[in-house]
Amino acid sequence: MAKSTTKKKHSKRSDSIESTLGEKRLFKPSKAFSEKARISSMAQYEKLYRASIKDPEKFFAKQAEELHWFKKWRKVLETKNPRLSKAGAGGGSFAFTQWFTGGEINACYNCIDRHLSSPRKNKAAIIWEGENFEQRTLTYSQLHREVSKAANVLKSLGVKTGDRVAIYMGMTPELAIAVLACARIGATHTVIFGGFSAEAIRDRVNDCDAKLIITADGAFRRGTIIDLKKNVDNAVTSGCPSVEKVLVLKRTANAVVMIAGRDVWWHEAMAEASANCPATPLDSEHPLYILYTSGTTGKPKGIVHTTAGYLLGTYLTMKYIFDIRDEDVFWCSADVGWVTGHSYVLYGPLANGATIVMYEGAPTYPAPDRFWDIIERHGATIFYTAPTAIRAFIRAGDEHSNKHDMSSLRLLGSVGEPINPEAWMWYHRVIGKGRCPIVDTWWQTETGAIMISPIPGAVPTIPGSATLPFFGVEPEVVRKDGTKCNPDEGGYLIIKKPWPSMLRGIYKDPERFQKQYFTEYPGLYFTGDGARQDKNGYFWIMGRVDDVINVSGHRLGTMEVESALVGHESVAEAAVVGRPDEIKGSALVAFVTLKKGWPADESLKEKLRNHVAEMIGSIAKPDDIRFSDALPKTRSGKIMRRLLRELASTGSVAGDTTTLEDFSVLEQLRAGEEE
Ligand code: WT7
């Protein structure tokens, strides 16, 4: 897309935004930023946006030409709702849309090989820093060599195109290499966040029948070692019949047990591997990865992303929303175990030939200034992080960032949850020194790439609003009955049209896929978020409206935590709700009814919290456990969650939280409440 050479036209919307908002809240992109940006005015953004909505096929065909194809596509987009349509969505649904059908492409080739014939060949692809300050830099050509060898290792371990490979590692370069090696040969990767427990590994591995698990002897985190291999061993021993081999990176020199015939050391296998492994041409719709995420049932969903559309979505959002340049040093602080790490640590930046920073450890280790130290030393120009981290930094105090020269920064990003205006202002003032635009990016594991976000050189921002949709994305805020909300009326956020990086399904569960996303508002994609749109069309995301809670920017299903709790021998019934938390956004509060004879004491609370950590991972540990003799229910027997949420955030109705919650005082409310 050529930069517009016409003089900056004024758009009606930007005039309206300026006239209706006090200057105080409105942050216009600086002239210096806009002049250099790919999209430098509201008028230019609106023109492109309109074109993308009017004729998405034409728009995305043109964009897709920037990628490398082994074989060109036949059709840009095709919606083929199969036999299932009876079960839910019915006419007009785009649940089963495919992009660039008939084409052949490889995501790894686009992230690496494509750059080797350009001056990017010897450019840093990954600047990695270990928690203990080790440094490693991999150029594109070095990355190519390592990934090719790793791909040959996968083949030698029996992995074939279409097989699933689980990856459970810390944030090391080998994690990136493992992911890209899978993509290179068309093995579908499923990365499992290193904070998940053995039980969680087992469930995920079994759901997708992974043949191989790639792990490490350990991971450094906050000065300690997380025993990844032990968790994998426990998972496999407790029953993962599909697993044939376990490939183990030596990272911490932690003592591990290697099981003969099953376990293989990464360094030994790599030493023997050839560095010649051409990327396999894959169908556009070949499944690139499965990423498990919490939903409204007890069982996480395997979100499936395919190759061409996902790659295009991450490539384009990276290019226009982060306005990525060859000179940039891009740092997304997310773990590759989450979708943000997939899309904006790896695929998006690498597809653009960017230099990324990858950091292994904790944000505050060994001192609260670690992130700012990294930005200074590596000269990061773009920094992308989560509001929960920002709030923790605010609490730690400005002195930590003020110590560092962060003048390299030119753009900041936020993701994972609504950013409160105070955190936005601090980020802007203290980290960005008032100079860097902030892109508040709304998206989901399911959407694959950013959906609503300012284009930094074009769209004026207002703290707290993710502003306007990206190209090809048509969001709307609707009422329960599906009619469009008025400006500033809160409602449900839906997406009206397919977009290239949309999820293609829930692994092996097309019914749940259709039901979860396309039946609430027949034919439309339901995000699960509440939102409002102001009179200028800006979106304000209000958070989840389903039984999903966003804790520190990570999604947790209340049902998942509840089923972990009732799995404990002492628990009769459990209900988990969120309460506002200054740092985490939401904290988890569990109301628990015990079986007869169990003492409602502190030690049992601790046991239950640890039990949840064992079943899911420490991220799911309830912050608060409250024992009650019964849970408040409607006449039809549904737990009154709204009441519990209120109780959780305002404190105890009974006044004494150390003993049993007394719901009898709520009895009178019960009569009126039918949730
Ligand atoms: C949910 C998706 C997208 C990667 C990280 C989380 C919330 C995400 C924002 C934002 C307000 C946001 C939503 C969404 N969310 N970004 N900029 N403003 N809310 O991925 O685990 O799939 O969670 O995170 O509630 O539905 P995820």
Side-chain angles (χ1 to χ4, degrees):
M1 216 172 296
K3 214 175 119 179
S4 157
T5 47
T6 51
K7 273 203 104 185
K8 255 198 202 171
K9 268 189 285 168
H10 263 282
S11 107
K12 269 203 215 104
R13 170 144 55 189
S14 56
D15 288 344
S16 154
I17 291 167
E18 280 183 45
S19 67
T20 54
L21 285 163
E23 277 297 313
K24 260 202 324 234
R25 283 176 64 215
L26 187 71
F27 291 83
K28 284 194 284 183
S30 72
K31 207 160 166 247
F33 191 98
S34 286
E35 271 173 355
K36 292 199 196 121
R38 287 198 170 85
I39 299 174
S40 54
S41 71
M42 189 67 124
Q44 200 189 346
Y45 157 75
E46 285 183 329
K47 192 169 162 220
L48 285 166
Y49 179 73
R50 272 196 305 272
S52 75
I53 296 298
K54 200 169 145 244
D55 194 347
E57 297 209 40
K58 185 171 160 207
F59 182 86
F60 286 113
K62 185 161 169 241
Q63 305 294 326
E65 272 161 24
E66 293 178 21
L67 299 175
H68 166 273
W69 296 83
F70 290 106
K71 187 174 153 209
K72 199 175 162 166
W73 59 88
R74 195 172 11 88
K75 188 105 180 59
V76 176
L77 90 94
E78 277 182 291
T79 297
K80 299 183 195 160
N81 283 330
R83 325 141 224 114
L84 280 169
S85 42
K86 265 206 285 55
S93 162
F94 56 86
F96 297 92
T97 299
Q98 303 198 324
W99 288 81
F100 304 103
T101 42
E104 280 179 10
I105 189 166
N106 184 291
C108 177
Y109 188 99
N110 273 283
C111 286
I112 305 177
D113 305 47
R114 194 160 63 99
H115 309 309
L116 300 183
S117 52
S118 81
R120 286 175 182 155
K121 179 176 180 186
N122 296 316
K123 171 183 175 176
I126 301 178
I127 299 174
W128 176 81
E129 180 162 312
E131 194 180 69
N132 53 17
F133 294 92
E134 280 165 277
Q135 312 263 334
R136 261 172 80 191
T137 298
L138 284 162
T139 64
Y140 274 95
S141 118
Q142 289 168 327
L143 184 62
H144 177 254
R145 200 178 153 77
E146 294 305 305
V147 169
S148 300
K149 284 193 326 196
N152 278 327
V153 168
L154 297 183
K155 285 184 185 170
S156 75
L157 295 174
V159 176
K160 301 204 166 50
T161 304
D163 286 344
R164 270 81 53 215
V165 172
I167 302 176
Y168 181 70
M169 301 172 88
M171 286 281 285
T172 54
E174 286 78 9
L175 166 56
I177 292 164
V179 164
L180 292 162
C182 287
R184 193 163 189 83
I185 62 168
T188 301
H189 57 77
T190 186
V191 182
I192 303 170
F193 174 59
F196 280 120
S197 68
E199 297 275 340
I201 300 171
R202 191 193 58 196
D203 291 349
R204 286 159 174 76
V205 163
N206 286 340
D207 187 72
C208 71
D209 294 315
K211 213 178 196 179
L212 171 73
I213 303 180
I214 309 179
T215 188
D217 59 351
F220 290 113
R221 187 78 189 180
R222 213 165 276 119
T224 63
I225 292 174
I226 299 171
D227 209 338
L228 299 174
K229 175 68 163 58
K230 198 174 93 201
N231 288 344
V232 168
D233 288 343
N234 288 342
V236 178
T237 319
S238 69
C240 291
S242 60
V243 173
E244 292 168 11
K245 299 276 179 196
V246 176
L247 184 59
V248 188
L249 174 76
K250 189 172 254 172
R251 168 68 193 126
T252 59
N254 194 22
V256 293
V257 180
M258 294 294 280
I259 294 175
R262 189 197 75 180
D263 298 354
V264 179
W265 282 112
W266 171 282
H267 60 274
E268 287 176 5
M270 286 291 273
E272 284 168 18
S274 141
N276 179 20
C277 180
T280 309
L282 300 165
D283 189 273
S284 291
E285 286 293 332
H286 185 79
L288 177 63
Y289 69 82
I290 302 167
L291 186 59
Y292 287 86
T293 186
S294 296
T296 48
T297 72
K299 192 173 166 266
K301 316 175 266 199
I303 302 298
V304 179
H305 282 291
T306 60
T307 305
Y310 173 80
L311 189 68
L312 183 64
T314 53
Y315 169 77
L316 286 179
T317 47
M318 191 69 212
K319 180 170 169 188
Y320 292 108
I321 295 171
F322 293 108
D323 202 48
I324 192 80
R325 305 296 166 145
D326 268 320
E327 312 81 83
D328 277 318
V329 175
F330 179 77
W331 184 24
C332 166
S333 70
D335 193 288
V336 173
W338 308 108
V339 74
T340 310
H342 284 63
S343 300
Y344 300 105
V345 174
L346 299 179
Y347 288 111
L350 298 179
N352 278 278
T355 296
I356 64 158
V357 171
M358 190 174 179
Y359 169 56
E360 178 183 41
T364 51
Y365 188 85
D369 69 337
R370 184 62 187 266
F371 268 23
W372 321 126
D373 185 34
I374 291 175
I375 290 175
E376 176 173 14
R377 279 186 289 102
H378 298 296
T381 58
I382 309 175
F383 178 53
Y384 189 32
T385 196
T388 185
I390 297 169
R391 290 190 298 264
F393 295 135
I394 297 175
R395 184 181 275 187
D398 298 5
E399 63 271 26
H400 306 295
S401 49
N402 286 344
K403 276 206 293 244
H404 293 278
D405 175 5
M406 297 191 286
S407 55
S408 55
L409 287 174
R410 65 179 195 91
L411 177 61
L412 301 172
S414 169
V415 63
E417 57 184 305
I419 179 165
N420 47 312
E422 300 69 36
W424 196 105
M425 291 302 296
W426 183 88
Y427 200 27
H428 190 260
R429 180 173 51 84
V430 179
I431 304 306
K433 298 282 182 257
R435 190 187 65 242
C436 307
I438 296 179
V439 289
D440 174 3
T441 61
W442 176 86
W443 59 296
Q444 310 177 296
T445 304
E446 291 88 340
T447 69
I450 297 167
M451 300 288 274
I452 303 178
S453 163
I455 299 284
V459 176
T461 52
I462 308 169
S465 172
T467 75
L468 299 170
F470 189 65
F471 306 134
V473 177
E474 218 181 324
E476 197 166 279
V477 180
V478 298
R479 305 188 181 104
K480 254 214 151 76
D481 66 5
T483 55
K484 189 175 174 177
C485 287
N486 293 322
D488 284 324
E489 178 187 343
Y492 303 92
L493 183 65
I494 54 105
I495 312 286
K496 290 166 76 173
K497 285 227 179 83
W499 63 98
S501 64
M502 64 184 274
L503 76 165
R504 298 302 195 268
I506 295 176
Y507 192 65
K508 284 202 296 210
D509 202 347
E511 306 279 345
R512 185 176 175 192
F513 168 58
Q514 182 121 329
K515 187 156 177 288
Q516 179 80 48
Y517 302 107
F518 292 92
T519 53
E520 196 94 13
Y521 300 97
L524 308 173
Y525 172 82
F526 177 47
T527 63
D529 277 329
R532 70 182 167 85
Q533 212 179 351
D534 67 21
K535 53 182 168 305
N536 295 307
Y538 276 28
F539 286 88
W540 298 75
I541 313 294
M542 301 184 316
R544 306 291 309 195
V545 292
D546 51 9
D547 291 329
V548 169
I549 303 178
N550 205 318
V551 180
S552 300
H554 299 312
R555 193 202 289 201
L556 282 169
T558 51
M559 280 278 282
E560 216 178 322
V561 183
E562 285 162 12
S563 57
L565 283 166
V566 296
H568 191 269
E569 51 181 350
S570 66
V571 176
E573 202 174 22
V576 172
V577 296
R579 82 161 141 70
D581 181 275
E582 206 190 314
I583 303 288
K584 297 174 162 190
S586 304
L588 293 183
V589 180
F591 291 88
V592 171
T593 308
L594 295 172
K595 287 184 187 156
K596 267 215 168 63
W598 288 85
D601 59 17
E602 285 303 319
S603 118
L604 185 56
K605 278 188 188 175
E606 205 39 41
K607 274 191 202 127
L608 290 178
R609 295 180 73 241
N610 291 334
H611 176 74
V612 174
E614 244 170 63
M615 298 301 289
I616 304 173
S618 49
I619 43 165
K621 264 190 179 181
D623 296 84
D624 255 340
I625 291 192
R626 299 198 187 179
F627 294 121
S628 69
D629 50 3
L631 295 176
K633 291 190 185 143
T634 60
R635 274 179 222 283
S636 56
K638 265 183 92 181
I639 292 173
M640 296 161 85
R641 287 177 183 279
R642 182 140 42 100
L643 211 64
L644 292 179
R645 269 196 294 273
E646 227 166 81
L647 197 60
S649 42
T650 56
S652 165
V653 170
D656 181 2
T657 51
T658 58
T659 56
L660 298 185
E661 299 288 349
D662 179 7
F663 289 116
S664 58
V665 293
L666 303 173
E667 208 68 7
Q668 67 261 38
L669 289 170
R670 187 187 297 189
E673 185 112 7
E674 282 291 333
E675 244 185 293

